[in-house]
Amino acid sequence: MTQSQQSDETPRTDETSGDEETTTGHEQAGEPEQAESAAPEAEAPEAEPAVAEAVRPTPSPGTAPSPAAMAPRPGAKPGGKPGAKPGAAVAAPPAHNTPLSEAAKFARVEDDGHVFLIVNGEEHAVGQYPDASKEEALAYFVRKYDDVASQIALLEQRVHAKAPSADMQKTAGHLREQVAEKKIVGDVLALEARLDALNTQIAELVAAEKAEQDALKSADLAAREAIVAEAEEIAGRDPSTVQWKASSTRMNELFETWKAAQKNGIRLGRGTEDGLWKRFRAARTIFDRHRRAYFSQLDTDNASAKQAKESLIQQAEALSTSTDWGHTAGEYRRLMDEWKASKRASRKDDDALWARFRAAQDKFFTARKATNEAIDEEYGANLVVKEALLVEARQLLPIKNLAAAKKSLQSIRDRWEEAGKVPRADMGRIEAGIREVEDAVKAADDAHWERTNPETQARTNSALSQLEATIAALQEDLNAAEKAGDAKRIAAAKEALSARQQWMDMLQKSARDFS
């Protein structure tokens, strides 16, 4: 409790004005003349200059101060500066009320109102409460002790509730100063012990808060660094592979997350926050530059692709009225290959361009289809004739008389040519059917030629003669080996003789086929 608070709590008499207050004991001890002049001369009681910290109330003659006057002022808060906010919302502890009989063990009161505090057998002047009984003088300074004890109890309760420790050390120091002044009456040593314990507990609470704050700071730093790292990773991607819509959305989300962390998170220190922000801002700048460059190039590519496809469309539209069906169809295939090889324009432009290109194609192929349908209707009768000729041709199979088959096939082919064209849808089937018969007749003719070829017959006869001579020689070797009883020569001769005999059988069969 400060000296100003002590003087504020000094009781006033009914005859003094509301603005007049008694001076502190310190002022009376150091400057007795000023202290005595602080009250009207007619009402100032005699004071002993030697008494330290005398309290100078100005009661009416023969009147003791009322209990209400000695009670703490409304709004005065225990500990700290008046009006200071407590660190946490804690319930006020029960008011400390030391019995006078208990307090008397720690004090001595003189008849003139001087009060002395006894600590370890040593007396300390507390102050003077004149014109009052010894009990009233003692009670006044006991109430000051109770006020300090209540403030210590409140601080203990705040520490136990683990309230924020922002002002706890300051409050504890202020209370220790009040106890050390020894201007109160009570068990001062007990208060000092409680304050010692509080200092230890407050230090532990401060350390715990710091550890918690450091953990939160580390977590917030890790979160900020994760934001920056992801932004740098996005900015470092190859622009040609970036999904710009998704990446732009994510970059905006990271920016909003950064702002929320900066607003609601733990302060990391100006240097750290500035460094992270510079990295994050640089990543966003690089990403934005790449995005603008990409879309600028995309616009250029779209314009070039659009121009190239416009040229293809013009060619397709010029061909759309052509009646040179075969050549024009080939040109459209060429244009389609060029269209597929060209770059895409924007989706909107590309869809519109394709619709125009396809419309030109459809116009040509629709006209060709109509013409072909008319032709097919005209060629329907020819199809009937060729179907009958195809049945007649298939009756030649299998070929038994090659000469007769060749003659009949020639007749069928002459009538086939005279029949004319058939509808396009049936052309492949009809042509494949007649070609099947032609291939069978040709194969039979080739086989007959191989059998009757004089050169082939001569080669076969010569081979037979040579083989017969070889077989005769081998037979003689076999006979000689058998007479000699040479098993090895016998086995070799039999093996060679068997192989030549197989060749002989094959050549003889071939000769029979030629005849």
Side-chain angles (χ1 to χ4, degrees):
M1 183 181 299
T2 63
Q3 295 174 359
S4 60
Q5 287 176 310
Q6 290 180 0
S7 63
D8 286 346
E9 294 179 358
T10 303
R12 300 189 183 98
T13 65
D14 295 337
E15 297 180 3
T16 57
S17 65
D19 295 330
E20 292 178 345
E21 297 182 355
T22 58
T23 59
T24 64
H26 176 73
E27 291 170 342
Q28 291 180 346
E31 300 175 287
E33 294 181 357
Q34 295 178 2
E36 292 178 357
S37 63
E41 294 181 0
E43 298 178 318
E46 295 180 358
E48 298 182 9
V51 177
E53 294 286 351
V55 180
R56 292 299 234 165
T58 54
S60 299
T63 303
S66 65
M70 293 187 292
R73 300 189 324 278
K77 299 191 177 183
K81 296 181 179 179
K85 295 183 179 180
V90 269
H96 199 278
N97 189 7
T98 304
L100 292 183
S101 59
E102 179 68 23
K105 299 176 183 179
F106 304 97
R108 182 176 66 82
V109 184
E110 296 182 345
D111 294 337
D112 60 357
H114 280 87
V115 180
F116 297 87
L117 174 67
I118 301 174
V119 180
N120 291 329
E122 183 179 355
E123 292 187 352
H124 302 271
V126 176
Q128 182 185 21
Y129 195 91
D131 302 325
S133 66
K134 289 183 178 182
E135 290 76 9
E136 290 172 335
L138 178 61
Y140 177 72
F141 291 104
V142 170
R143 279 191 290 273
K144 290 181 175 290
Y145 173 88
D146 289 341
D147 181 54
V148 174
S150 296
Q151 294 179 58
I152 293 175
L154 178 59
L155 184 57
E156 289 171 336
Q157 190 167 348
R158 290 178 61 197
V159 171
H160 179 73
K162 299 189 184 304
S165 63
D167 61 343
M168 286 186 181
Q169 290 177 325
K170 181 179 179 181
T171 301
H174 179 68
L175 290 172
R176 185 173 289 278
E177 289 176 0
Q178 294 185 62
V179 174
E181 287 177 355
K182 295 181 175 56
K183 303 304 179 185
I184 56 179
V185 174
D187 192 352
V188 174
L189 295 179
L191 296 184
E192 289 178 344
R194 290 168 66 185
L195 287 171
D196 290 340
L198 274 174
N199 283 338
T200 301
Q201 295 170 3
I202 291 172
E204 293 174 351
L205 185 58
V206 169
E209 288 180 354
K210 185 177 184 304
E212 182 181 2
Q213 191 76 0
D214 289 344
L216 292 174
K217 186 174 181 180
S218 296
D220 197 66
L221 176 60
R224 299 275 193 98
E225 288 178 338
I227 294 172
V228 174
E230 185 175 353
E232 289 175 337
E233 188 275 329
I234 294 174
R237 294 175 185 171
D238 183 354
S240 63
T241 64
V242 173
Q243 299 293 329
W244 291 105
K245 183 176 181 181
S247 298
S248 297
T249 300
R250 183 55 185 158
M251 195 64 93
N252 290 334
E253 290 173 352
L254 290 175
F255 182 56
E256 294 301 322
T257 304
W258 175 277
K259 290 195 297 184
Q262 191 175 35
K263 179 179 179 182
N264 304 320
I266 302 298
R267 294 300 179 189
L268 305 178
R270 186 176 185 85
T272 302
E273 290 193 355
D274 286 350
L276 288 172
W277 168 246
K278 287 178 180 178
R279 288 174 55 194
F280 184 54
R281 182 178 58 190
R284 294 177 67 227
T285 300
I286 292 172
F287 175 80
D288 190 55
R289 182 167 64 247
H290 287 174
R291 182 170 57 85
R292 288 198 304 269
Y294 174 82
F295 283 103
S296 176
Q297 183 61 45
L298 187 63
D299 289 341
T300 302
D301 293 344
N302 286 342
S304 176
K306 184 177 179 181
Q307 183 177 2
K309 289 187 174 181
E310 287 279 4
S311 175
L312 295 177
I313 290 171
Q314 292 175 2
Q315 297 178 59
E317 289 175 341
L319 293 171
S320 63
T321 57
S322 173
T323 57
D324 187 357
W325 310 117
H327 174 75
T328 304
E331 287 296 299
Y332 271 118
R333 284 192 294 272
R334 178 184 62 79
L335 292 176
M336 177 60 75
D337 291 340
E338 291 185 19
W339 183 279
K340 291 178 180 178
S342 63
K343 293 182 178 180
R344 288 182 58 87
S346 65
R347 174 172 293 185
K348 180 179 179 181
D349 290 339
D350 212 61
D351 289 345
L353 292 168
W354 169 250
R356 291 172 55 194
F357 183 75
R358 184 62 180 270
Q361 281 187 316
D362 289 346
K363 181 178 180 180
F364 167 78
F365 287 107
T366 299
R368 189 185 70 166
K369 181 180 178 182
T371 302
N372 289 337
E373 287 176 350
I375 294 173
D376 289 346
E377 185 177 357
E378 178 184 349
Y379 293 163
N382 300 343
L383 176 62
V384 175
V385 175
K386 286 192 173 183
E387 288 279 10
L389 291 173
L390 183 57
V391 172
E392 182 181 348
R394 284 174 173 165
Q395 291 176 352
L396 300 176
L397 304 178
I399 299 172
K400 299 177 181 179
N401 187 331
L402 179 59
K406 291 173 65 176
K407 184 177 180 180
S408 298
L409 181 58
Q410 185 59 46
S411 173
I412 293 171
R413 287 186 62 85
D414 292 342
R415 286 176 286 160
W416 186 276
E417 295 297 330
E418 291 176 0
K421 295 181 180 180
V422 297
R424 293 171 59 86
D426 300 292
M427 186 181 298
R429 177 179 60 85
I430 293 297
E431 293 295 332
I434 194 64
R435 191 160 50 248
E436 179 182 354
V437 177
E438 291 175 344
D439 290 344
V441 173
K442 183 177 183 302
D445 192 27
D446 291 343
H448 177 71
W449 168 251
E450 287 291 334
R451 289 194 301 268
T452 59
N453 187 355
E455 294 180 0
T456 303
Q457 288 182 348
R459 286 195 300 270
T460 301
N461 293 333
S462 176
L464 282 171
S465 299
Q466 293 176 3
L467 194 55
E468 287 173 353
T470 301
I471 290 173
L474 289 173
Q475 185 63 49
E476 291 177 359
D477 289 342
L478 177 60
N479 294 335
E482 288 176 347
K483 288 179 181 182
D486 189 343
K488 185 176 181 180
R489 286 178 57 194
I490 293 171
K494 284 183 177 181
E495 183 180 355
L497 187 61
S498 176
R500 269 51 173 197
Q501 190 63 52
Q502 290 179 5
W503 294 350
M504 174 67 77
D505 293 341
M506 292 176 59
L507 288 173
Q508 289 175 346
K509 182 178 182 300
S510 177
R512 287 194 299 270
D513 291 340
F514 288 145
S515 62

